[in-house]
Amino acid sequence: MKAVHKGLALLLPFGLAFGAGLLLFDSRPPATAQTAAPGEKAGNRLVRDGIAVEFAVQPVDGAEPTEGMFADLRFRLSDAASGQPLAGQVPGAWLDLATGNDDPQTACRSRIGLYLKGLPGVRPLLDLTSYYLLILNQDPSITVVDPLTSVGGVTSMFTRIPLRRPPMDWVASPAERRLYVSMPEAGEVAVIDAERFQVLASIPAGRQPVRLALQPDGRYLWVGNDAPGEAGSGVTVIDTRTLKPVLQADTGRGHHEIAFSADSRHAFVTSREAGTLTVFDVATLERIREIRSGPHPLGVALSPLSGAVYVSDGEAGTLSVIDAASLETRKTIPVGRGIGPLAFAPDGRHGFVLNTADNTVTVIDAASDEVLHRLEVAAEPYQIAFTRAFAYVRGLASPKVSMIDLASLGKGREPGVLGFEAGPAAPRLAGNLSLASSLAPAGDDAALFVVNPVDNTTYFYMEGMNAPMSGYLNRGHTARAATVVPRSLRELEPGLFGARVRLPAAGRLDVAFLLNQPQIAHCFALEVRADPDRQRQRTRLQVEYLVDGHGAVAGAPFTLRLRLLKGGEEPQTGVADLRVRYFRAPSAQPREVAAREVGEGIYEASVELAQAGAYYLHLGAASLGLKFGDLPYLGLRARPAGGQ
């Protein structure tokens, strides 16, 4: 479905000046580049209309900017006269190859106008105003959607990430641009490069790895193991630097939820059937305390504002408040039987406890540990997510999503509760739901994606509307959850905006910068060094074997087809001496045949597979310096004539 919201959800913060052409064809004289401060390159500081914009790039490894490497891009906005930072802005930035135009700033503004249109064929190398929507599927895969681009008004799918087994939960590491995905049936956690959307590794993670939680400092990934018995039921801890398990600890039977102290000093792990909260010292990875917080702990969350851990118990109907430093119970708050999921708003002030039994949300004030409100929400609430302005509550037995106005919370107030329908039916009708959330705040923090697994559609809702604005049908797969991978600039401190990116190409790049108030469009220059390893990769020969999965029939004619590529993209043509060497396992006498080119980079060779069995085929070509065994081989099974 066409991404109707693209001109609103992302571009509206930049204002309406683009539509009127006031910025893109600005006739004012260009701003002047100022003399660089010590340590800065000339041309990296711009002053216009009393606003100073300073651009800097810092490679993560400390070397000079190199293609394929990570670097931190920074834009500092300040008042040119006083030096005071300009906080709360929404700048945009794009990286692309330099045009070499005689009037680079005019060309820069024109290119920004094209980028904002979201045309599939007109995209920069790197877009720092965008985000990707990732959809967790019931089958072993993840669908990646580009919400800002629609191809023919039909689909916005960018790519698909295959997994080894069906996924259950996931957690993102923005700093490392990684996504961790639990696969209970495989006993593993998949590590995904969220920059290239490729699986980097699959890590053994104990029995039935389900819940995932990443420490605030990002050092360890904690995995809840829901093994059926005592043995293996607890947590597995994975070092995110080495991608290897460093601890497996049994904590008790049942499902496990995980939370951390704000300083990553302590990890708190619930065990549902054992009725315990186990506390680990993260520095030593040792168990230091076991707390009885109730017979059936279901949720755990930390409020950095109060410095306490809150544990909800569904059977006792209580909320235990445990001091995160002393590990002593401060208070027990009666809430009501049936409570479960628990979360705090981003500022840590208000906690939300969902009660599936009576369709309510209880709001806790972390400053006083008192109940502020008990609000009716969608039937059987089971998930909660936050934007800057609202708490969104998903009902299991209703297609409705409830919205709680965070600004209206407080003692003696009547909070505003709104809602909208996200799909035609209640999520419970789909069955086989994942543990991951079906609610995903969008990149601009004023909108939400909602997965309805019944009609297999992910709906886009923008705050202020009565209903979702658009939806994405997940063709060929069954959607279960969603998350957003941001590509946009973030405000790191007042007036400082930045992002960690992988430098996409070597050479001279234009870093296009856009600010709406005041209207500033400017291209900064960035020189990126070529990576010798990547240069060699571009010329390295690769092979694709063009055979189906049915194998061959022994004694019948068989033609091997293959494609040769340079650098994975350009066809390798004109190889007159390409030969195929093959033999039947385990140790038959090898044979060789010549291959001839039948298309651009496509070659064929007739091979004789006289007997049934497994054959191994290798390529060689003296003119290319290609020895047999240099390229990946093909394993081919020849089945008996008339056999299966």
Side-chain angles (χ1 to χ4, degrees):
M1 182 175 289
K2 188 173 182 179
V4 180
H5 71 280
K6 67 181 179 182
L8 293 172
L10 189 63
L11 305 184
L12 192 58
F14 296 124
L16 301 178
F18 308 120
L22 298 179
L23 175 61
L24 301 183
F25 304 99
D26 193 346
S27 60
R28 293 177 298 170
T32 57
Q34 304 294 305
T35 303
E40 292 183 343
K41 293 182 179 180
N44 283 3
R45 188 171 191 269
L46 173 80
V47 175
R48 165 172 274 178
D49 294 338
I51 303 300
V53 182
E54 299 175 62
F55 168 67
V57 57
Q58 178 60 53
V60 173
D61 61 3
E64 61 181 304
T66 305
E67 64 170 327
M69 304 302 179
F70 282 103
D72 293 322
L73 302 185
R74 298 288 185 263
F75 298 91
R76 187 176 295 278
L77 277 59
S78 61
D79 182 271
S82 66
Q84 290 296 315
L86 294 182
Q89 302 295 314
V90 189
W94 300 261
L95 270 71
D96 212 344
L97 294 172
T99 61
N101 195 291
D102 292 337
D103 188 357
Q105 296 310 319
T106 299
C108 177
R109 290 192 290 271
S110 298
R111 293 174 80 173
I112 291 175
L114 292 174
Y115 299 153
L116 292 174
K117 292 181 180 179
L119 302 175
V122 186
R123 303 301 300 272
L125 292 176
L126 198 61
D127 186 346
L128 295 180
T129 68
S130 65
Y131 57 87
Y132 287 94
L133 170 67
L134 273 61
I135 301 173
L136 195 75
N137 297 319
Q138 185 175 345
D139 62 278
S141 69
I142 296 172
T143 301
V144 182
V145 172
D146 183 354
L148 307 181
T149 300
S150 177
V151 180
V154 176
T155 180
S156 297
M157 192 182 90
F158 180 76
T159 188
R160 187 181 72 89
I161 306 171
L163 301 172
R164 286 167 52 85
R165 291 290 187 274
M168 178 58 67
D169 192 23
W170 55 9
V171 65
S173 173
E176 297 173 318
R177 298 279 186 174
R178 285 178 180 172
L179 187 70
Y180 301 96
V181 184
S182 65
M183 300 178 292
E185 294 180 13
E188 295 175 341
V189 169
V191 184
I192 295 174
D193 183 341
E195 202 54 51
R196 300 175 178 176
F197 300 120
Q198 297 175 348
V199 177
L200 297 175
S202 292
I203 309 171
R207 298 179 62 187
Q208 289 291 309
V210 176
R211 176 62 82 193
L212 299 182
L214 192 65
Q215 290 179 194
D217 63 6
R219 175 63 191 278
Y220 292 128
L221 174 72
W222 292 66
V223 185
N225 297 117
D226 292 2
E230 294 281 352
S233 183
V235 289
T236 297
V237 182
I238 296 172
D239 190 328
T240 59
R241 298 176 183 175
T242 63
L243 298 183
K244 296 183 181 298
V246 293
L247 174 70
Q248 199 290 314
D250 296 346
T251 62
R253 296 181 60 183
H255 175 69
H256 308 283
E257 292 290 331
I258 306 166
F260 306 98
S261 58
D263 57 3
S264 297
R265 179 185 175 187
H266 293 140
F268 303 88
V269 181
T270 65
S271 298
R272 183 172 299 182
E273 294 182 26
T276 58
L277 177 73
T278 305
V279 185
F280 289 86
D281 183 299
V282 173
T284 61
L285 293 179
E286 294 181 353
R287 187 190 328 241
I288 58 175
R289 185 75 62 89
E290 189 171 277
I291 302 171
R292 292 278 173 177
S293 59
H296 209 64
L298 295 176
V300 60
L302 177 124
S303 168
L305 189 66
S306 67
V309 176
Y310 297 74
V311 183
S312 59
D313 191 282
E315 184 175 333
T318 58
L319 191 66
S320 298
V321 185
I322 301 167
D323 189 281
S326 67
L327 304 180
E328 299 296 332
T329 301
R330 288 185 189 171
K331 187 176 183 180
T332 301
I333 307 172
V335 180
R337 290 172 62 89
I339 61 173
L342 164 67
F344 277 84
D347 63 1
R349 175 65 185 271
H350 296 113
F352 295 75
V353 188
L354 308 187
N355 193 318
T356 305
D358 63 8
N359 306 328
T360 62
V361 169
T362 299
V363 182
I364 305 295
D365 187 346
S368 60
D369 288 333
E370 295 179 351
V371 174
L372 284 180
H373 311 287
R374 186 168 279 107
L375 309 173
E376 292 187 8
V377 291
E380 298 185 17
Y382 76 111
Q383 289 177 343
I384 187 168
F386 300 93
T387 62
R388 188 174 302 176
F390 289 93
Y392 291 83
V393 179
R394 185 75 160 125
L396 190 63
S398 170
K400 184 178 180 180
V401 177
S402 297
M403 302 169 56
I404 302 171
D405 185 356
L406 296 177
S408 67
L409 300 176
K411 195 169 184 178
R413 297 183 179 180
E414 290 293 332
V417 181
L418 307 172
F420 61 92
E421 301 281 330
R428 70 157 51 253
L429 298 179
N432 297 321
L433 299 180
S434 69
L435 198 65
S437 179
S438 64
L439 305 173
D444 67 342
D445 204 32
L448 186 80
F449 289 101
V450 185
V451 173
N452 191 312
V454 178
D455 64 352
N456 196 29
T457 299
T458 301
Y459 292 93
F460 174 81
Y461 173 79
M462 185 173 179
E463 291 173 1
M465 308 301 289
N466 294 325
M469 296 179 62
S470 61
Y472 301 93
L473 182 61
N474 192 23
R475 292 179 175 86
H477 305 277
T478 304
R480 283 296 180 263
T483 192
V484 165
V485 174
R487 291 287 193 270
S488 57
L489 298 172
R490 295 185 299 116
E491 188 165 13
L492 307 174
E493 61 183 57
L496 180 64
F497 301 85
R500 177 164 292 183
V501 303
R502 190 191 299 271
L503 296 174
R508 186 179 177 85
L509 302 184
D510 279 339
V511 182
F513 174 83
L514 180 64
L515 186 68
N516 188 42
Q517 293 295 334
Q519 296 174 7
I520 296 176
H522 184 80
C523 279
F524 296 97
L526 173 61
E527 291 288 344
V528 179
R529 183 176 67 92
D531 181 5
D533 292 337
R534 286 187 161 232
Q535 295 284 1
R536 288 191 291 269
Q537 178 75 16
R538 293 189 184 99
T539 59
R540 192 172 65 182
L541 196 65
Q542 297 182 28
V543 60
E544 293 180 2
Y545 294 104
L546 307 177
V547 298
D548 59 30
H550 296 93
V553 177
F558 179 79
T559 300
L560 172 67
R561 285 174 59 88
L562 59 96
R563 178 185 288 113
L564 290 181
L565 299 169
K566 290 188 294 185
E569 297 180 359
E570 182 183 352
Q572 175 67 65
T573 60
V575 185
D577 60 344
L578 183 66
R579 298 188 66 79
V580 179
R581 176 181 292 177
Y582 64 101
F583 65 92
R584 186 170 66 92
S587 58
Q589 185 70 24
R591 301 184 61 183
E592 281 188 28
V593 294
R596 60 188 182 90
E597 189 171 8
V598 296
E600 191 176 20
I602 298 177
Y603 299 81
E604 287 185 353
S606 298
V607 298
E608 296 181 5
L609 310 177
Q611 302 179 47
Y615 287 80
Y616 294 91
L617 299 89
H618 298 262
L619 300 179
S623 63
L624 300 177
L626 179 66
K627 300 177 182 178
F628 293 110
D630 286 351
L631 290 178
Y633 65 85
L634 172 67
L636 185 68
R637 178 170 294 279
R639 62 184 184 276
Q644 295 295 322

